[in-house]
Coordinates of all heavy atoms in Angstrom, one line a residue:
M1 N 0.9 -1.2 0.0 CA 0.0 0.0 0.0 C 0.8 1.3 0.0 O 1.8 1.3 0.8 CB -0.9 0.0 1.2 CG -1.8 1.2 1.3 SD -2.9 0.8 2.6 CE -3.5 2.2 3.2
M2 N 0.6 2.1 -0.9 CA 1.3 3.4 -1.0 C 0.6 4.6 -0.3 O -0.7 4.6 -0.3 CB 1.6 3.7 -2.4 CG 2.5 2.7 -3.1 SD 2.8 3.2 -4.8 CE 3.6 4.7 -4.7
T3 N 1.3 5.4 0.3 CA 0.7 6.6 0.8 C 1.3 7.9 0.2 O 2.4 7.8 -0.3 CB 0.9 6.7 2.3 OG1 2.3 6.8 2.6 CG2 0.3 5.5 3.1
L4 N 0.5 8.9 0.0 CA 0.9 10.1 -0.6 C 0.8 11.2 0.6 O -0.1 11.3 1.4 CB 0.0 10.6 -1.7 CG 0.0 9.6 -2.9 CD1 -1.1 10.1 -3.8 CD2 1.4 9.6 -3.6
S5 N 1.8 12.2 0.5 CA 1.7 13.2 1.4 C 0.6 14.2 1.0 O 0.2 14.3 -0.1 CB 3.1 14.0 1.4 OG 3.3 14.7 0.2
R6 N 0.1 15.0 2.0 CA -0.9 16.0 1.6 C -0.4 16.9 0.6 O -1.2 17.4 -0.2 CB -1.2 16.7 2.9 CG -2.3 17.8 2.8 CD -2.7 18.3 4.2 NE -3.5 19.4 4.1 CZ -4.9 19.3 3.9 NH1 -5.5 18.2 3.7 NH2 -5.6 20.5 3.8
H7 N 0.8 17.4 0.7 CA 1.4 18.3 -0.3 C 1.4 17.7 -1.8 O 1.0 18.5 -2.7 CB 2.7 18.8 0.0 CG 2.8 19.6 1.3 ND1 2.3 20.8 1.5 CD2 3.3 19.2 2.6 CE1 2.5 21.2 2.7 NE2 3.1 20.2 3.3
L8 N 1.7 16.5 -1.9 CA 1.6 15.9 -3.1 C 0.2 15.8 -3.7 O -0.1 16.1 -4.9 CB 2.3 14.5 -3.1 CG 2.5 13.8 -4.5 CD1 3.4 14.6 -5.3 CD2 3.2 12.5 -4.2
V9 N -0.8 15.5 -2.9 CA -2.2 15.4 -3.3 C -2.7 16.8 -3.7 O -3.2 17.0 -4.8 CB -3.1 14.9 -2.1 CG1 -4.5 15.0 -2.5 CG2 -2.7 13.4 -1.8
L10 N -2.3 17.8 -3.0 CA -2.7 19.2 -3.2 C -2.1 19.6 -4.5 O -2.7 20.3 -5.4 CB -2.4 20.1 -2.1 CG -3.2 19.9 -0.8 CD1 -2.7 20.9 0.3 CD2 -4.7 20.2 -1.1
F11 N -0.8 19.3 -4.7 CA -0.2 19.7 -6.0 C -0.9 19.0 -7.2 O -1.0 19.6 -8.2 CB 1.3 19.2 -6.0 CG 2.1 19.4 -7.3 CD1 2.4 20.7 -7.7 CD2 2.4 18.3 -8.0 CE1 3.1 20.9 -8.9 CE2 3.0 18.5 -9.3 CZ 3.3 19.8 -9.7
R12 N -1.3 17.7 -7.1 CA -1.9 17.0 -8.1 C -3.3 17.7 -8.5 O -3.7 17.8 -9.6 CB -2.2 15.6 -7.7 CG -3.0 14.7 -8.6 CD -2.3 14.6 -9.9 NE -3.1 13.7 -10.8 CZ -3.8 14.1 -11.8 NH1 -3.8 15.4 -12.1 NH2 -4.6 13.4 -12.5
I13 N -4.0 18.1 -7.4 CA -5.2 18.8 -7.6 C -5.1 20.1 -8.3 O -5.9 20.3 -9.3 CB -6.0 19.0 -6.3 CG1 -6.5 17.6 -5.7 CG2 -7.3 19.9 -6.4 CD1 -6.9 17.7 -4.2
E14 N -4.2 20.9 -7.9 CA -3.9 22.2 -8.6 C -3.5 21.9 -10.1 O -3.9 22.7 -10.9 CB -2.9 22.9 -7.8 CG -3.4 23.4 -6.6 CD -4.6 24.4 -6.7 OE1 -4.6 25.2 -7.6 OE2 -5.5 24.2 -5.9
R15 N -2.7 20.9 -10.3 CA -2.2 20.7 -11.7 C -3.4 20.2 -12.5 O -3.5 20.7 -13.6 CB -1.2 19.6 -11.6 CG -0.6 19.2 -13.0 CD 0.5 18.2 -12.9 NE 0.9 17.8 -14.3 CZ 2.0 17.3 -14.5 NH1 2.9 17.2 -13.6 NH2 2.3 17.0 -15.8
R16 N -4.3 19.4 -12.0 CA -5.5 19.0 -12.8 C -6.3 20.2 -13.1 O -6.9 20.4 -14.2 CB -6.3 18.0 -12.1 CG -7.4 17.5 -12.8 CD -8.2 16.4 -12.0 NE -8.7 16.9 -10.7 CZ -8.9 16.2 -9.7 NH1 -8.5 15.0 -9.5 NH2 -9.3 16.8 -8.6
K17 N -6.5 21.1 -12.1 CA -7.3 22.3 -12.4 C -6.7 23.2 -13.4 O -7.4 23.7 -14.3 CB -7.5 23.1 -11.0 CG -8.4 22.6 -10.0 CD -8.4 23.5 -8.8 CE -9.3 22.9 -7.7 NZ -9.3 23.8 -6.5
A18 N -5.4 23.3 -13.4 CA -4.7 24.2 -14.4 C -4.9 23.6 -15.8 O -5.1 24.2 -16.8 CB -3.3 24.3 -14.0
W19 N -4.8 22.2 -15.8 CA -5.0 21.5 -17.1 C -6.3 21.7 -17.7 O -6.5 22.0 -18.9 CB -4.6 20.1 -16.9 CG -4.8 19.3 -18.3 CD1 -5.8 18.3 -18.5 CD2 -4.1 19.4 -19.5 NE1 -5.7 17.8 -19.8 CE2 -4.6 18.5 -20.4 CE3 -3.1 20.2 -19.9 CZ2 -4.2 18.4 -21.7 CZ3 -2.6 20.1 -21.2 CH2 -3.2 19.2 -22.0
R20 N -7.4 21.6 -16.8 CA -8.7 21.8 -17.3 C -9.0 23.2 -17.7 O -9.7 23.6 -18.6 CB -9.7 21.4 -16.2 CG -9.7 19.9 -16.1 CD -10.7 19.4 -15.1 NE -10.8 17.9 -15.1 CZ -11.0 17.2 -14.1 NH1 -11.4 17.8 -12.9 NH2 -11.0 16.0 -14.1
L21 N -8.3 24.2 -17.0 CA -8.5 25.6 -17.4 C -7.8 25.8 -18.8 O -8.4 26.5 -19.7 CB -7.8 26.5 -16.4 CG -7.7 28.0 -16.7 CD1 -9.1 28.5 -16.6 CD2 -6.9 28.7 -15.7
L22 N -6.7 25.2 -19.0 CA -6.1 25.4 -20.3 C -7.0 24.7 -21.5 O -7.1 25.3 -22.5 CB -4.7 24.7 -20.4 CG -3.5 25.4 -19.7 CD1 -2.3 24.5 -19.7 CD2 -3.2 26.7 -20.5
Q23 N -7.6 23.6 -21.2 CA -8.4 23.0 -22.1 C -9.6 23.9 -22.4 O -10.0 24.0 -23.5 CB -8.9 21.6 -21.6 CG -7.9 20.5 -21.6 CD -8.4 19.3 -21.0 OE1 -9.2 19.2 -20.1 NE2 -8.0 18.1 -21.6
S24 N -10.2 24.5 -21.3 CA -11.4 25.3 -21.6 C -11.1 26.6 -22.4 O -11.9 27.1 -23.1 CB -12.0 25.7 -20.2 OG -11.2 26.6 -19.5
K25 N -9.8 27.1 -22.3 CA -9.4 28.3 -23.0 C -9.3 28.0 -24.5 O -9.5 28.9 -25.3 CB -8.0 28.8 -22.5 CG -8.1 29.3 -21.1 CD -8.9 30.5 -21.0 CE -8.8 31.0 -19.5 NZ -9.7 32.1 -19.3
V26 N -9.1 26.8 -24.9 CA -9.0 26.4 -26.3 C -10.2 25.7 -26.8 O -10.2 25.0 -27.8 CB -7.7 25.7 -26.7 CG1 -6.5 26.5 -26.5 CG2 -7.5 24.4 -25.9
W27 N -11.3 25.6 -26.0 CA -12.6 25.1 -26.3 C -12.5 23.6 -26.5 O -13.3 23.0 -27.3 CB -13.2 25.7 -27.6 CG -13.5 27.2 -27.3 CD1 -12.6 28.2 -27.6 CD2 -14.6 27.8 -26.7 NE1 -13.2 29.5 -27.3 CE2 -14.4 29.2 -26.7 CE3 -15.7 27.3 -26.1 CZ2 -15.3 30.1 -26.2 CZ3 -16.6 28.2 -25.6 CH2 -16.4 29.5 -25.6
I28 N -11.7 23.0 -25.6 CA -11.7 21.5 -25.7 C -12.7 21.0 -24.6 O -12.6 21.4 -23.5 CB -10.3 20.9 -25.4 CG1 -9.4 21.3 -26.5 CG2 -10.4 19.4 -25.2 CD1 -7.9 20.9 -26.2
Q29 N -13.7 20.2 -25.0 CA -14.6 19.7 -24.0 C -14.1 18.3 -23.5 O -13.9 17.4 -24.2 CB -16.0 19.4 -24.7 CG -16.6 20.7 -25.2 CD -17.0 21.6 -24.1 OE1 -17.4 21.2 -23.1 NE2 -16.9 22.9 -24.4
N30 N -13.9 18.3 -22.2 CA -13.4 17.1 -21.5 C -14.7 16.3 -21.1 O -15.3 16.6 -20.1 CB -12.6 17.5 -20.3 CG -11.9 16.3 -19.7 OD1 -12.5 15.2 -19.7 ND2 -10.8 16.6 -19.0
T31 N -15.0 15.2 -21.9 CA -16.2 14.5 -21.6 C -16.1 13.6 -20.3 O -17.0 13.5 -19.6 CB -16.5 13.5 -22.8 OG1 -15.3 12.7 -23.0 CG2 -16.8 14.2 -24.0
E32 N -14.9 13.2 -19.9 CA -14.7 12.5 -18.7 C -15.0 13.4 -17.5 O -15.7 13.0 -16.5 CB -13.3 11.9 -18.6 CG -13.1 11.0 -17.4 CD -11.8 10.3 -17.4 OE1 -11.5 9.5 -18.4 OE2 -11.1 10.6 -16.4
Y33 N -14.6 14.7 -17.5 CA -14.9 15.6 -16.4 C -16.4 15.8 -16.3 O -16.9 15.9 -15.2 CB -14.1 16.9 -16.6 CG -14.3 17.9 -15.6 CD1 -13.9 17.7 -14.3 CD2 -14.9 19.1 -15.9 CE1 -14.2 18.6 -13.3 CE2 -15.1 20.1 -15.0 CZ -14.7 19.9 -13.6 OH -14.9 20.8 -12.7
A34 N -17.0 16.1 -17.5 CA -18.4 16.3 -17.4 C -19.2 15.1 -16.8 O -20.2 15.2 -16.1 CB -18.9 16.6 -18.9
A35 N -18.8 13.9 -17.2 CA -19.4 12.7 -16.7 C -19.1 12.5 -15.2 O -20.1 12.2 -14.4 CB -18.8 11.5 -17.4
Q36 N -18.0 12.9 -14.7 CA -17.7 12.9 -13.2 C -18.6 13.9 -12.6 O -19.1 13.5 -11.5 CB -16.2 13.3 -13.0 CG -15.2 12.2 -13.4 CD -13.8 12.8 -13.3 OE1 -13.5 13.9 -12.9 NE2 -12.8 12.0 -13.6
R37 N -18.8 15.0 -13.1 CA -19.7 16.1 -12.5 C -21.1 15.6 -12.4 O -21.8 15.7 -11.5 CB -19.5 17.4 -13.2 CG -18.2 18.0 -13.3 CD -17.8 18.7 -12.1 NE -18.7 19.7 -11.8 CZ -18.5 20.6 -10.8 NH1 -17.5 20.5 -10.0 NH2 -19.4 21.6 -10.7
A38 N -21.6 14.9 -13.5 CA -22.9 14.4 -13.5 C -23.2 13.3 -12.5 O -24.2 13.2 -11.9 CB -23.2 13.9 -15.0
I39 N -22.1 12.5 -12.4 CA -22.3 11.4 -11.4 C -22.4 12.0 -10.0 O -23.2 11.6 -9.2 CB -21.0 10.4 -11.5 CG1 -21.2 9.6 -12.7 CG2 -21.0 9.5 -10.3 CD1 -20.0 8.8 -13.1
L40 N -21.6 13.0 -9.7 CA -21.6 13.6 -8.4 C -22.9 14.3 -8.1 O -23.5 14.3 -7.0 CB -20.5 14.6 -8.2 CG -19.1 14.0 -8.1 CD1 -18.0 15.1 -8.0 CD2 -19.0 13.0 -6.9
V41 N -23.5 14.9 -9.2 CA -24.9 15.5 -9.0 C -25.9 14.4 -8.7 O -26.8 14.6 -7.9 CB -25.2 16.3 -10.4 CG1 -26.7 16.6 -10.3 CG2 -24.4 17.5 -10.5
D42 N -25.8 13.3 -9.3 CA -26.7 12.2 -9.1 C -26.5 11.7 -7.6 O -27.5 11.3 -7.0 CB -26.5 11.1 -10.0 CG -27.1 11.3 -11.4 OD1 -27.8 12.3 -11.5 OD2 -26.8 10.6 -12.4
V43 N -25.3 11.6 -7.2 CA -25.1 11.1 -5.7 C -25.6 12.2 -4.8 O -26.3 11.8 -3.8 CB -23.5 11.0 -5.5 CG1 -23.3 10.8 -4.0 CG2 -23.0 9.8 -6.3
D44 N -25.5 13.4 -5.1 CA -26.1 14.5 -4.2 C -27.6 14.4 -4.2 O -28.2 14.7 -3.2 CB -25.6 15.9 -4.6 CG -24.1 16.1 -4.3 OD1 -23.6 15.4 -3.4 OD2 -23.5 17.0 -4.9
A45 N -28.2 14.1 -5.4 CA -29.6 14.0 -5.5 C -30.2 12.7 -4.9 O -31.4 12.6 -4.8 CB -30.1 14.2 -7.0
G46 N -29.3 11.8 -4.7 CA -29.8 10.5 -4.1 C -30.2 9.5 -5.1 O -30.6 8.4 -4.8
T47 N -30.0 9.7 -6.3 CA -30.2 8.8 -7.4 C -29.2 7.6 -7.3 O -29.6 6.5 -7.7 CB -30.0 9.5 -8.8 OG1 -30.9 10.6 -8.9 CG2 -30.5 8.6 -9.9
I48 N -27.9 7.9 -7.0 CA -26.9 6.9 -6.9 C -26.5 7.0 -5.4 O -26.2 8.0 -4.9 CB -25.7 7.2 -7.8 CG1 -26.1 7.2 -9.3 CG2 -24.6 6.2 -7.5 CD1 -25.1 7.6 -10.2
S49 N -26.4 5.9 -4.7 CA -26.0 5.9 -3.3 C -24.4 6.0 -3.2 O -23.7 5.6 -4.3 CB -26.4 4.6 -2.6 OG -25.8 3.5 -3.2
Q50 N -23.9 6.3 -2.2 CA -22.5 6.4 -2.0 C -21.9 5.0 -2.1 O -20.8 4.9 -2.6 CB -22.1 7.1 -0.7 CG -22.3 8.5 -0.6 CD -21.8 9.2 0.6 OE1 -21.5 8.5 1.6 NE2 -21.8 10.6 0.7
E51 N -22.6 4.0 -1.5 CA -22.1 2.7 -1.6 C -21.9 2.2 -3.0 O -20.9 1.6 -3.4 CB -22.9 1.7 -0.8 CG -23.0 1.9 0.7 CD -23.8 3.1 1.1 OE1 -24.7 3.5 0.3 OE2 -23.7 3.7 2.2
E52 N -22.9 2.6 -3.9 CA -22.8 2.1 -5.3 C -21.7 2.9 -6.0 O -21.0 2.3 -6.8 CB -24.2 2.4 -6.0 CG -24.2 2.0 -7.4 CD -25.5 2.3 -8.2 OE1 -26.3 3.0 -7.6 OE2 -25.6 1.9 -9.3
L53 N -21.5 4.2 -5.6 CA -20.4 5.0 -6.3 C -19.1 4.3 -5.9 O -18.3 4.2 -6.8 CB -20.5 6.4 -5.7 CG -19.4 7.3 -6.2 CD1 -19.3 7.5 -7.7 CD2 -19.4 8.6 -5.5
F54 N -18.9 4.0 -4.6 CA -17.6 3.4 -4.2 C -17.4 2.1 -4.8 O -16.3 1.7 -5.2 CB -17.5 3.3 -2.7 CG -17.5 4.7 -2.0 CD1 -18.1 4.9 -0.8 CD2 -16.9 5.8 -2.6 CE1 -18.0 6.1 -0.2 CE2 -16.9 7.0 -2.0 CZ -17.4 7.2 -0.8
A55 N -18.5 1.2 -5.0 CA -18.4 -0.1 -5.5 C -18.1 -0.1 -7.0 O -17.4 -1.0 -7.5 CB -19.5 -0.9 -5.1
R56 N -18.8 0.8 -7.7 CA -18.8 0.8 -9.2 C -18.4 2.1 -9.8 O -18.8 2.4 -10.9 CB -20.3 0.5 -9.7 CG -20.9 -0.8 -9.2 CD -22.2 -1.0 -9.8 NE -22.2 -0.9 -11.3 CZ -23.1 0.0 -12.0 NH1 -24.0 0.7 -11.3 NH2 -22.9 0.2 -13.3
A57 N -17.5 2.8 -9.3 CA -17.1 4.1 -9.7 C -16.6 4.0 -11.2 O -17.0 4.8 -12.1 CB -16.0 4.7 -8.9
E58 N -15.7 3.1 -11.6 CA -15.2 3.0 -12.9 C -16.3 2.6 -13.9 O -16.3 3.2 -15.0 CB -14.0 2.0 -12.9 CG -12.8 2.5 -12.2 CD -11.6 1.6 -12.4 OE1 -11.5 1.0 -13.5 OE2 -10.9 1.4 -11.4
A59 N -17.1 1.7 -13.5 CA -18.2 1.3 -14.4 C -19.1 2.4 -14.7 O -19.6 2.7 -15.8 CB -18.9 0.1 -13.9
L60 N -19.5 3.2 -13.6 CA -20.3 4.3 -13.8 C -19.8 5.4 -14.7 O -20.5 5.9 -15.6 CB -20.7 4.9 -12.4 CG -21.6 4.2 -11.5 CD1 -21.6 4.8 -10.1 CD2 -23.0 4.0 -12.0
L61 N -18.5 5.7 -14.5 CA -17.9 6.6 -15.4 C -17.8 6.1 -16.8 O -18.1 7.0 -17.7 CB -16.4 6.9 -14.9 CG -15.7 8.0 -15.6 CD1 -16.4 9.3 -15.5 CD2 -14.2 8.1 -15.1
E62 N -17.5 4.9 -17.0 CA -17.5 4.4 -18.4 C -18.9 4.5 -19.1 O -19.1 4.8 -20.2 CB -17.1 2.9 -18.4 CG -15.6 2.8 -18.4 CD -15.2 1.3 -18.7 OE1 -15.9 0.5 -19.4 OE2 -14.2 0.9 -18.1
E63 N -20.0 4.1 -18.3 CA -21.3 4.2 -18.7 C -21.6 5.7 -19.2 O -22.3 5.9 -20.2 CB -22.3 3.8 -17.8 CG -22.4 2.3 -17.5 CD -23.3 1.9 -16.4 OE1 -24.0 2.8 -15.8 OE2 -23.2 0.8 -16.0
R64 N -21.2 6.7 -18.4 CA -21.5 8.1 -18.8 C -20.7 8.5 -19.9 O -21.1 9.3 -20.8 CB -21.1 9.0 -17.6 CG -21.9 8.7 -16.3 CD -23.4 9.1 -16.6 NE -24.3 8.8 -15.4 CZ -24.7 9.6 -14.6 NH1 -24.6 10.9 -14.8 NH2 -25.5 9.1 -13.6
V65 N -19.4 8.1 -20.1 CA -18.6 8.6 -21.2 C -18.9 7.8 -22.4 O -19.1 8.4 -23.5 CB -17.1 8.4 -20.9 CG1 -16.3 8.7 -22.0 CG2 -16.7 9.2 -19.6
L66 N -18.9 6.5 -22.4 CA -19.2 5.7 -23.6 C -20.6 5.4 -23.9 O -21.0 4.9 -25.0 CB -18.4 4.4 -23.5 CG -16.8 4.6 -23.3 CD1 -16.2 3.2 -23.0 CD2 -16.2 5.3 -24.4
G67 N -21.4 5.4 -22.9 CA -22.9 5.0 -23.1 C -23.0 3.6 -22.6 O -22.1 2.8 -22.5
P68 N -24.3 3.2 -22.1 CA -24.5 2.0 -21.5 C -24.3 0.8 -22.4 O -23.9 -0.3 -22.0 CB -26.0 2.0 -21.0 CG -26.6 3.2 -21.6 CD -25.4 4.1 -22.0
A69 N -24.6 1.0 -23.7 CA -24.4 -0.1 -24.7 C -22.9 -0.5 -24.9 O -22.6 -1.7 -25.1 CB -25.0 0.2 -26.1
A70 N -22.0 0.5 -24.8 CA -20.6 0.2 -25.0 C -20.0 -0.6 -23.8 O -19.2 -1.5 -24.0 CB -19.9 1.5 -25.1
T71 N -20.5 -0.3 -22.6 CA -20.0 -1.1 -21.5 C -20.6 -2.5 -21.4 O -20.0 -3.4 -20.9 CB -20.3 -0.4 -20.2 OG1 -21.7 -0.1 -20.0 CG2 -19.6 1.0 -20.0
A72 N -21.7 -2.7 -22.0 CA -22.4 -4.1 -22.0 C -21.5 -5.0 -22.9 O -21.5 -6.2 -22.6 CB -23.8 -4.0 -22.4
T73 N -21.0 -4.5 -23.9 CA -20.3 -5.2 -24.9 C -18.8 -5.5 -24.5 O -18.2 -6.4 -25.0 CB -20.2 -4.6 -26.4 OG1 -19.7 -3.4 -26.3 CG2 -21.7 -4.6 -26.9
A74 N -18.3 -4.7 -23.6 CA -16.9 -4.8 -23.2 C -16.7 -5.9 -22.2 O -17.5 -6.6 -21.7 CB -16.4 -3.5 -22.5

């Protein structure tokens, strides 16, 4: 098991924010980020439970990015 320092985590978050800002400046739509935001909205609304999010996070993200039909064939 690996552990990360708080500083390293904060650096990673800031770097991701900067990358998304650069993408938005050149009109690049990040579909994965939009899917992540939509999933979090559903969790806040109670459509998806936290337990389901923790258990199936990657599958939920794939369903949002690729569509449910694409994940059924994979």
Side-chain angles (χ1 to χ4, degrees):
M1 179 170 157
M2 296 180 61
T3 60
L4 297 173
S5 71
R6 180 175 171 79
H7 294 291
L8 191 56
V9 171
L10 292 175
F11 175 74
R12 173 67 180 106
I13 291 169
E14 289 302 317
R15 184 176 171 157
R16 184 179 59 211
K17 285 181 183 177
W19 177 245
R20 288 186 177 145
L21 177 66
L22 283 172
Q23 287 178 325
S24 70
K25 295 292 183 188
V26 293
W27 297 96
I28 295 175
Q29 296 295 323
N30 188 329
T31 56
E32 188 173 299
Y33 178 63
Q36 290 171 359
R37 302 281 296 185
I39 290 170
L40 290 177
V41 167
D42 285 347
V43 170
D44 289 341
T47 309
I48 299 173
S49 68
Q50 285 186 352
E51 292 80 19
E52 182 181 7
L53 175 65
F54 294 146
R56 301 186 47 234
E58 289 184 36
L60 288 170
L61 185 60
E62 277 188 33
E63 287 173 8
R64 298 291 174 112
V65 173
L66 302 175
T71 57
T73 60

